[in-house]
Amino acid sequence: MELKLNGKIIKGVGGLYEIRIARSDADMLRGVGMKIENDTVLCKARGVFRHEKLTLLVGDDVVLRVDTELALASDADARENHKRGDEAMGGVMIEEALPRRNELIRPPMANLDIIFAVFAAAKPEPALTTVDKLITIAEYKEIEPVVIITKADLAPDAAEHYADIYRRCGFRVFIEGLGIDGGELEGYIRENADRVSVFAGASGVGKSTLMNRLFPSLGLATGEISQKTQRGRHTTRHIELYPLDRQFGDSVMGCIADTPGFGMLDFVQFDFYTKADLPYVFREFEPYIGSCRYTKCTHTKEDGCALLEAVKNGEIPEERHKSYLEFYEVLKNKHEWDKK
Ligand SMILES: Nc1nc2c(ncn2[C@@H]2O[C@H](COP(=O)(O)OP(=O)(O)OP(=O)(O)O)[C@@H](O)[C@H]2O)c(=O)[nH]1
Ligand SMILES: [Mg+2]
Ligand SMILES: [Zn+2]
């Protein structure tokens, strides 16, 4: 019997994908004798994905083709099929990828609802422009950015200071750390348990540590940060979406991902949005746009700029405008480069 089912890629390493399928489909496959654990199947993609260099991302919704006879064939037969170049490993194969709602380059994922922008209050010292790059890219892609500040136990005042910056802009902010009750964040994830969310941020900020605290059964590896550079050592090596039903109950459909931390150079290539988009990806700028003296105001140095005035009055956090200025410089030059 051959049949088609829908699923979601929750992990992909070396051309082998782990696909989450519906409980009812998993039961059906078990019913015909297949061994299905955790409502997931392991498979490869149809050759066309390799030949046409179509990338599949964690978070992609896909159509699987299941050949139950092949799936139930003895291991020796399955190996023989495999040797002949048959991609239908174990009788299951990714047939087709469904259109994406959105996709990110870093972390490389598709169909996200929420990005948790994670940074540490200290060790490593936060680079707010990197945080803002992530946040503005999320805004541009219409993925909800939520701020998590970790290691507040090491620098409680700094944590409050950073939290204040982002709260003033209208973001949800969670302060976390050793000995701090993470119940509020867990509540937020529970409220959004049908969505797909991701922890993203620099290496060593404590993403995996926090995931472990929220979901103790995961047992994710965590690493020391380097004494010399104060940076993380890229402990997490691949992206994996964890289905939340294991935590919150059977009817829950969402997932949450841990991701490898960013390095220092990861965001240098900057072509996610253009200079024209820039004022609109800072949500706290919105009330001021259109009120500047000059219609072509760049909000960088002009007289009568409503935005600069708001920064001066403390209505817009200076740090955020600093990120704006930095991105403006990069995007401005990109523009000139393109015209050459
Ligand atoms: N004091 C303190 N240390 C923390 C906290 N969270 C994480 N750490 C430590 O920070 C180090 C890095 O933590 P990880 O969870 O591996 O960081 P990560 O963000 O997952 O790093 P990558 O996987 O490399 O991206 C570990 O030594 C943790 O014990 C915290 O809230 N407080
Ligand atoms: Mg990690
Ligand atoms: Zn202006």
Side-chain angles (χ1 to χ4, degrees):
M1 178 173 66
E2 193 172 287
L3 47 96
K4 290 190 178 181
L5 330 161
N6 283 26
K8 184 185 265 307
I9 299 180
I10 59 173
K11 185 176 171 183
V13 177
L16 192 61
Y17 297 93
E18 195 170 331
I19 317 286
R20 154 88 155 179
I21 57 175
R23 173 69 48 89
S24 54
D25 288 334
D27 285 340
M28 190 237 328
L29 295 181
R30 282 185 204 107
V32 300
M34 286 175 66
K35 287 197 195 72
I36 306 291
E37 276 170 52
N38 294 324
D39 301 344
T40 63
V41 292
L42 269 181
C43 64
K44 295 189 174 181
R46 205 151 66 94
V48 63
F49 286 98
R50 275 197 314 283
H51 303 141
E52 296 182 12
K53 296 205 167 68
L54 303 171
T55 50
L56 288 166
L57 295 175
V58 172
D60 261 330
D61 293 311
V62 296
V63 178
L64 299 177
R65 192 165 75 201
V66 184
D67 178 336
T68 56
E69 266 131 58
L70 191 55
L72 294 173
S74 70
D75 283 356
D77 289 351
R79 267 200 301 279
E80 201 45 43
N81 276 316
H82 199 52
K83 256 197 289 194
R84 288 204 308 266
D86 193 340
E87 290 117 355
M89 179 190 140
V92 187
M93 168 167 89
I94 298 176
E95 168 92 4
E96 172 190 353
L98 299 175
R100 290 173 183 151
R101 269 186 298 133
N102 55 49
E103 64 180 272
L104 284 183
I105 297 171
R106 207 152 288 270
M109 295 182 76
N111 301 322
L112 292 169
D113 297 304
I114 298 169
I115 291 182
F116 291 103
V118 187
F119 65 93
K123 290 191 178 175
E125 283 309 311
L128 294 192
T129 50
T130 307
V131 175
D132 286 332
K133 269 182 200 173
L134 183 63
I135 290 176
T136 54
I137 291 164
E139 297 275 27
Y140 182 68
K141 309 254 172 182
E142 296 183 358
I143 304 167
E144 178 67 12
V146 173
V147 174
I148 298 178
I149 302 168
T150 56
K151 309 200 189 187
D153 51 306
L154 300 179
D157 295 343
E160 282 302 336
H161 166 74
Y162 297 127
D164 181 58
I165 292 171
Y166 289 96
R167 285 191 180 127
R168 280 161 59 205
C169 300
F171 295 102
R172 278 298 291 263
V173 179
F174 297 95
I175 297 181
E176 301 295 327
L178 295 184
I180 295 172
D181 171 26
E184 211 195 329
L185 175 59
E186 199 200 339
Y188 181 85
I189 294 171
R190 189 186 287 270
E191 280 163 38
N192 291 286
D194 287 324
R195 301 180 152 218
V196 178
S197 52
V198 55
F199 277 17
S203 181
V205 298
K207 298 178 294 298
S208 302
T209 303
L210 188 54
M211 287 275 283
N212 278 340
R213 212 183 60 197
L214 291 162
F215 312 108
S217 62
L218 291 178
L220 301 173
T222 61
E224 292 299 309
I225 62 168
S226 155
Q227 287 302 325
K228 220 166 84 195
T229 63
Q230 292 294 317
R231 286 183 212 151
R233 298 169 187 255
H234 300 284
T235 305
T236 304
R237 293 288 174 173
H238 58 255
I239 300 173
E240 184 165 357
L241 272 172
Y242 303 101
L244 286 169
D245 63 344
R246 292 167 201 170
Q247 180 86 359
F248 297 128
D250 278 355
S251 61
V252 162
M253 292 306 297
C255 311
I256 191 164
D258 189 17
T259 62
F262 304 139
M264 295 302 281
L265 296 173
D266 278 340
F267 278 121
V268 172
Q269 295 272 2
F270 200 78
D271 47 10
F272 307 99
Y273 46 75
T274 68
K275 193 180 72 176
D277 303 312
L278 191 57
Y280 302 96
V281 293
F282 286 78
R283 57 175 64 182
E284 71 279 20
F285 291 4
E286 210 229 304
Y288 306 97
I289 291 171
S291 308
C292 303
R293 185 179 303 157
Y294 308 109
T295 45
K296 287 197 169 160
C297 189
T298 65
H299 322 302
T300 57
K301 53 178 182 290
E302 291 87 344
D303 286 334
C305 171
L307 240 146
L308 285 173
E309 192 61 28
V311 175
K312 211 160 77 193
N313 295 339
E315 288 156 24
I316 289 175
E318 217 177 323
E319 291 83 350
R320 290 273 292 172
H321 189 254
K322 196 167 151 266
S323 293
Y324 174 87
L325 290 176
E326 194 168 302
F327 303 163
Y328 183 87
E329 278 308 308
V330 175
L331 294 171
K332 185 186 79 183
N333 295 335
K334 263 228 146 80
H335 189 64
E336 283 165 6
W337 178 262
D338 289 345
K339 272 197 298 196
K340 271 183 205 160

